[in-house]
Amino acid sequence: MTDISTQDGPMLAADGTPLKKSLARALRMQKMRALLLVAPLLIFVMVTFIAPIADMLFRSVENQIVSETLPETVVELAEWDPDSDEPPSERVFEALYIDLFMASEKKLHTRLGTRLNYEQAGISSAFRKSGRRVGRFDTDIYTDQIIAQSPDLESPAAWVDMMQSADLRADLPLTARTWDRWAAYLRTEGDDPAEEDVEDFLYSTLYFELRDGAQSAHPLIAPLDVSGYETVSLRGQFEDVDEDWLSTDVWRTIQTYAPDYTSGYFLNAIDMQKGPDGPEARPENQQFYLMLFQRTLFMSLVITFSCILLGYPVAWLLANLPMRTANLLMILVLLPFWTSLLVRTSSWKVMLQQQGVINDVLVWLGLVDDAARLVMINNQFGTIVAMTHILLPFMILPMYSVMQTIPPSYLRAAKSLGATNWTAFWRVYFPQSVPGIGAGSILVFILAIGYYITPEIVGGRTGTFISNQIAYHISSSLNWGLAAALGTILLAAVLILYWAYDKIVGIDNVKLGG
Amino acid sequence: MTALTPISRTPVSFYVPVVAAAGAFAGLLVGTSQGSSLLGLLIGAALLAVIAFVATNVLKNEQAARWIILALFTALGFWVGGLPGIVLGALFGWFFGWFTFWLFEGRYRRKLPPYLTPMQVLWHFSFRVICGAIFVFLITPILVVMPLSFNAEDFFTFTPEMLRFDPAGYSLKHYQDFFTSSEWQQALRNSLLIAPVATLLSVSFGTLAAIGLSSEHVPFRRAIMAILISPMIVPLIISAAGMYFFYSRIGLQGTYAGVVLAHAALGIPFVIITVTATLVGFDRSLTRAAANMGADPVTTFFRVQMPLILPGVISGGLFAFITSFDEVVVVLFVGSASQQTLPWQMFTGLREQISPTILAVATILVFISIVLLTVVELLRRRSERLRGMSPG
């Protein structure tokens, strides 16, 4: 008391620092220590889990393949009016020739064709055929004419040397750019650009640029006078390979998907496509994903609802039986919960198939004719039954933990006040058990909506979910962008539900195993 | 539980018709399988009405009456359906003997409040029957695979020999197949190589983080928690897709390390949840007391905190283990043929329907899960007892 009254200034800790400061430091230390404990795991989860999810989100809009494979074409094509009935100008075809030659050397043209084929059927064959033929185009006339005027240009070493000159690179940017792509490709293949034959397309590039008025004082280029050259139409060359190159649809598709980022995969995932006037619905016969999303939602709802219907009585019984009996019966709920998912799925396959246990019993009982065995698998019914069974424990456990907290005396009180059994249940017990139903339903719904294994095995064609389509696009059709877009939509749906779950139940209250 | 309600014998007009109705139902089933539903229904009702009346009014001795009914139905079963019929008949006989006297003596009301009306009593028992049916739904699929795994044929279904309990219908050949096939053994080895390492990773990181998170001074606690729990919430197919894309970028796709890391990530939420739940009841003054007596933080952790939260850590670890051991979606995408695990092998087997070896594996897995379930339950109770949360 006297100490404080005599002391001037703030209160001091034992070591003489102000108490406030000392406390703040201790608090900071504790915060740091806690964060240090959490940090390794946080980093681990970030790298092994969050980064992959972010990568998936990125892939759903990423579209660099077009501009990476056809850089010159994309630039030239930007000036083309997509509404015109005319295919693009000769310059676009020249750019395409350069790009496609590079792509076919690198074997990238089929990949690009496959990518564009997702948007417009038939493109992939145009790319494949052209990639095969592009090396044999009649452009060798340019090569011959250029070499006739400047014979040193036949040697690759001369090209390498020429490309060292900064002046020339400034004068002939397109040729320099193209040479760099070519040289870089050769180097990745382990070849020396100074030794490999210079391909026709490089001479053609040089010709295009000189024809368009570029000039260079370089001793190898100066002798060239291209005004009197014999020419060949590249548009004609491409037309010979595949008529599709003159179709405006093909060019419109390339132009639409030229940017590095696209909403195309997302539009595709909701049955739309990029048209000339913005997004538009796909033709009826190509619509599929909206139906699939609807089916996923509908079946998840049915499964959730059947789980409520089956889980509620069981949870009620478990919550109201004496402890010993309830614990014993709980095993019947926990055993399926702990049993491998594949075990349960395979046993449903055993039970539901046409020569399966249920059909056998029904036939033996005479309820079903042997010739008319029920089809219960490879359809929606099979998926719903199997998944209801698999997810039922996830419904019963949260319901049970909520019902355990409802005092049975409430029901007795209601009855003693004159309520009938039904009123007492419906007006007194049921409202108190709603949080359990909510928690269980959201849990089951979240799990159901992203299920893959069970629908894949017992779902057949009509009982599959959106997740099966995602898996199909990753492993079979290799349309990773579309898979990522479908996954992103599904993820968004789940995250909204998760948020709702957090609001209703709280993440901290998730309980496992009762 | 002692009797709530004084019980008395019921009148003939009550129990005979009820037993007859049950008999009619059973008769309907048997009749349908033998070709005539109506006849079965009538015979069943009449037979059971007579049996009920005779057993209670003529024989009077309950023990004897129930044995006689049992013998009668077993014989009946043999006459109708041979060897499998005996089992069914015995079951029916036991049930009707018990049912008749249960009703006759009025025992069904023993544990019910005395004020219930007959309708309420009926509802009470109908409700039990409904719940029983749901329990049957829950457990049957798991029980069905067990006998089928001893099938002597390569079928996924019960053969006539099995139904006749002919020993020739049973064999251990699918188990033998499992233990000798190099593919299955390789898959088992892979599973056993992947799951423990993944579990170790998630338990060690997860326990540390849970201890950090349990301190009230952690900034952004909710955000961190949301990130750590997310592998459990995000659908597996999405995790699998993302990991496939990302791990192929960084060269982990198709490697053992990739699969282990992926499985560890999936197991972490379970460890976090169980360990934080255990830490809720942890008395922090214990660590302060230890520090006070001169223990450094590491000693405090291993000598004071760890033994107390060990049950939570172990059950979290078991969850993480079973997550990895059962996981198939992620390993399908992240792994390659040389990481083929047991569930993967089962999955491909089921898709292409190769052999009932799957059922033998399933049976083994069911036993493993029974063991794990028991361990987790014991640990949970021990932990609750240690923290004084429940008397049991």
Side-chain angles (χ1 to χ4, degrees), chain A residues 335-345, chain B residues 322 325-326 343 346 365-366 369:
Chain A
L335 186 60
F337 180 80
W338 275 94
T339 306
S340 163
L341 167 70
L342 276 159
V343 171
R344 288 182 281 164
T345 307
Chain B
I322 202 93
F325 198 71
D326 266 0
M346 287 180 80
L365 288 182
V366 168
S369 50

Side-chain angles (χ1 to χ4, degrees), chain A residues 206-440:
Chain A
L206 182 59
Y207 163 73
F208 299 147
E209 206 162 25
L210 292 172
R211 179 199 61 196
D212 290 342
Q215 284 176 342
S216 172
H218 194 278
L220 288 176
I221 305 297
L224 298 176
D225 171 22
V226 298
S227 56
Y229 275 19
E230 187 191 341
T231 60
V232 56
S233 157
L234 278 163
R235 189 207 287 213
Q237 294 283 316
F238 274 105
E239 188 189 354
D240 285 347
V241 179
D242 197 320
E243 295 257 313
D244 276 356
W245 287 117
L246 294 192
S247 136
T248 50
D249 283 346
V250 167
W251 287 103
R252 211 173 285 136
T253 309
I254 297 179
Q255 196 184 37
T256 313
Y257 290 94
D260 281 352
Y261 297 96
T262 177
S263 58
Y265 291 120
F266 277 101
L267 291 174
N268 198 345
I270 52 170
D271 285 339
M272 292 173 82
Q273 60 188 1
K274 280 186 155 184
D277 316 315
E280 60 185 28
R282 278 180 183 261
E284 287 280 331
N285 58 356
Q286 291 179 21
Q287 292 193 3
F288 175 58
Y289 295 108
L290 278 185
M291 185 275 288
L292 202 59
F293 272 115
Q294 252 168 25
R295 184 159 81 195
T296 307
L297 277 183
F298 169 74
M299 286 178 59
S300 303
L301 279 176
V302 172
I303 289 162
T304 311
F305 191 73
S306 352
C307 280
I308 297 176
L309 215 62
L310 297 181
Y312 199 88
V314 170
W316 191 88
L317 189 75
L318 288 174
N320 285 286
L321 279 177
M323 199 62 180
R324 287 184 69 86
T325 333
N327 275 341
L328 217 61
L329 285 177
M330 199 55 161
I331 293 175
L332 297 184
V333 179
L334 288 179
L335 186 60
F337 180 80
W338 275 94
T339 306
S340 163
L341 167 70
L342 276 159
V343 171
R344 288 182 281 164
T345 307
S346 43
S347 75
W348 277 110
K349 188 160 183 158
V350 168
M351 305 241 297
L352 292 176
Q353 61 185 333
Q354 280 200 292
Q355 301 299 322
V357 176
I358 294 183
N359 262 317
D360 280 350
V361 171
L362 290 178
V363 167
W364 182 72
L365 283 177
L367 293 176
V368 167
D369 192 59
D370 198 9
R373 284 170 174 254
L374 302 177
V375 182
M376 293 185 291
I377 203 167
N378 296 336
N379 55 19
Q380 295 201 359
F381 179 81
T383 310
I384 290 174
V385 171
M387 282 184 60
T388 303
H389 174 256
I390 288 167
L391 296 176
L392 192 51
F394 292 95
M395 180 66 87
I396 295 178
L397 296 175
M399 274 186 178
Y400 169 69
S401 60
V402 167
M403 285 181 183
Q404 254 188 330
T405 62
I406 305 176
S409 52
Y410 286 10
L411 261 189
R412 286 203 288 272
K415 281 186 203 162
S416 78
L417 290 172
T420 60
N421 269 345
W422 171 250
T423 319
F425 166 75
W426 184 246
R427 301 274 304 273
V428 176
Y429 195 88
F430 183 76
Q432 298 185 77
S433 64
V434 165
I437 301 180

